[in-house]
Amino acid sequence: MNIIVTVQDAVTAFADFVEPTAAELDAIEREMPVILADVDLLDAQIITLDRIPGELDCRRIRRARRRALAARVALLNRTAGAGQSGGAA
């Protein structure tokens, strides 16, 4: 007779390795402003899916697009600044 292994044993056998590391959590935390800005942009675009965008909708999308771009630039500036060492040459 074959022994049947429960699915829970197979899934939880690697549970310790599934958790994100501290470095991964820090990276997510650093990228959170970009993620939230992208969500706002998607929300503004989703609102206009079932209708013709009006002037207010266009402004909302432009504003959200600018915020998303600004968040990406700020993230790049922070990561580029962190990579540099020392002062002026």
Side-chain angles (χ1 to χ4, degrees):
M1 176 156 51
N2 294 334
I3 299 174
I4 299 173
V5 178
T6 62
V7 175
Q8 182 178 1
D9 291 340
V11 171
T12 58
F14 300 104
D16 293 337
F17 303 109
V18 176
E19 296 295 322
T21 64
E24 291 171 336
L25 291 175
D26 288 340
I28 291 170
E29 189 67 31
R30 279 190 308 273
E31 294 175 8
M32 191 55 68
V34 174
I35 294 168
L36 294 176
D38 285 344
V39 168
D40 288 341
L41 177 58
L42 284 172
D43 285 342
Q45 291 171 337
I46 288 171
I47 289 171
T48 63
L49 284 178
D50 61 345
R51 61 181 171 162
I52 297 173
E55 181 61 32
L56 181 63
D57 295 325
C58 291
R59 277 192 258 161
R60 183 180 295 129
I61 291 172
R62 280 195 308 265
R63 201 173 320 124
R65 191 174 289 135
R66 282 193 302 263
R67 279 194 300 254
L69 182 60
R72 289 179 188 278
V73 168
L75 177 65
L76 286 173
N77 286 338
R78 279 194 307 264
T79 56
Q84 295 175 351
S85 62

